[in-house]
């Protein structure tokens, strides 16, 4: 049967914890796959924000969302706001009411997976860790962060190591952190996920 892919695993973790009507963030919009997934999951009463520093990413994601709204009549998706901003500034860009109320924040690090994209434009350790830190503050109790890491491309290993070090340093009473990884391939993509502790869990 095989194990889930890293992307499917991240989606499964979010799907089990994110409810209709909630708030969610796609911290690395890319082509919009996670944005659309979140918009479907939280539905028309929910709300999604997406961040990316590349205009092409927002164009691709916007088109993906537009097609989905046409195919499904538009009524099944959450309103989605896409910002041409780094994920590192999400705390400043999101409405103040979002702090402590977000159900899920998804990251898919690396570069934009498009044939025309500049593969030298990648997410970087400092801004990525700052964004992860902000995400933890944004989460409601029981909310989840998923981050897909790509140690196989140039610069990816340093970012993966930084994200892992950050996740490992989060106190257990704040969040539980796990890794989903194929152990025989050092450069294979992998997932870290953090679930913010509920008050009764502390």
């Amino acid at each position: 049967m095989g194990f889930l892919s890293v992307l499917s695993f991240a989606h499964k973790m979010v799907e089990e914890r994110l409810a209709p009507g909630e708030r969610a963030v796609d911290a690395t919009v890319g082509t919009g796959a996670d944005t659309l997934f979140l918009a479907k999951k939280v539905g028309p009463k929910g709300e999604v924000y997406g961040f990316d520093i590349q205009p092409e990413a927002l164009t691709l994601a916007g088109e993906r969302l537009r097609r989905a709204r046409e195919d499904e009549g538009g009524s099944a998706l959450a309103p989605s706001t896409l910002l041409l901003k780094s994920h590192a500034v999400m705390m400043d860009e999101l409405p103040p009411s979002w702090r402590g109320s977000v159900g899920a924040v998804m990251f898919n690090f690396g570069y934009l997976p498009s044939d025309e994209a500049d593969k030298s434009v990648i997410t970087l350790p400092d801004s990525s860790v700052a964004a992860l830190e902000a995400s933890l503050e944004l989460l409601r109790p029981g909310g989840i962060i998923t981050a897909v890491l790509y140690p196989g491309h140039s610069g990816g290993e340093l970012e993966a190591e930084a994200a892992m070090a950050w996740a490992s340093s989060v106190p257990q009473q704040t969040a539980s952190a796990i890794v989903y990884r194929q152990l025989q391939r050092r450069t294979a993509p992998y997932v870290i996920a953090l679930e913010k502790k509920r008050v009764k869990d502390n």
Side-chain angles (χ1 to χ4, degrees):
M1 182 175 170
F3 293 114
L4 291 173
S5 71
V6 289
L7 298 176
S8 295
F9 180 81
H11 282 199
K12 181 176 171 59
M13 292 292 98
V14 171
E15 196 165 20
E16 291 173 349
R17 291 161 178 82
L18 188 63
E22 286 209 277
R23 295 163 166 170
V25 176
D26 183 355
T28 50
V29 165
T31 63
D34 288 340
T35 318
L36 178 57
F37 165 74
L38 292 170
K40 285 181 176 179
K41 181 63 184 169
V42 300
K45 293 185 178 178
E47 194 173 357
V48 175
Y49 268 79
F51 293 85
D52 208 292
I53 61 168
Q54 296 189 75
E56 183 186 354
L58 300 193
T59 300
L60 290 169
E63 179 63 18
R64 187 189 288 259
L65 289 167
R66 185 191 64 76
R67 286 196 309 267
R69 289 185 198 286
E70 287 180 357
D71 293 345
E72 301 179 30
S75 60
L77 300 183
S80 302
T81 303
L82 304 181
L83 299 178
L84 188 64
K85 299 275 187 178
S86 167
H87 50 215
V89 299
M90 70 171 78
M91 189 67 78
D92 297 326
E93 295 296 328
L94 290 171
S97 62
W98 279 51
R99 188 172 298 207
S101 70
V102 173
V105 183
M106 299 188 76
F107 293 84
N108 195 351
F109 289 123
Y111 50 76
L112 179 61
S114 166
D115 291 340
E116 294 79 32
D118 181 354
K119 302 296 193 294
S120 69
V121 179
I122 60 172
T123 50
L124 298 170
D126 287 351
S127 57
S128 294
V129 169
L132 288 165
E133 191 75 53
S135 299
L136 197 53
E137 264 192 76
L138 288 166
L139 285 187
R140 60 159 169 77
I144 187 167
I145 298 166
T146 61
V148 182
L149 301 161
Y150 296 88
H153 71 80
S154 179
E157 187 167 6
L158 287 176
E159 179 176 58
E161 288 173 358
M164 279 284 285
W166 171 80
S168 301
S169 72
V170 172
Q172 277 188 306
Q173 60 267 34
T174 301
S176 297
I178 64 165
V179 181
Y180 180 74
R181 186 173 196 172
Q182 185 178 341
L183 295 177
Q184 296 100 325
R185 289 178 55 220
R186 189 178 63 81
T187 59
Y190 62 96
V191 180
I192 59 173
L194 291 92
E195 184 179 43
K196 195 166 185 176
K197 287 293 183 77
R198 301 176 190 274
V199 174
K200 65 181 182 182
D201 293 339
N202 289 347

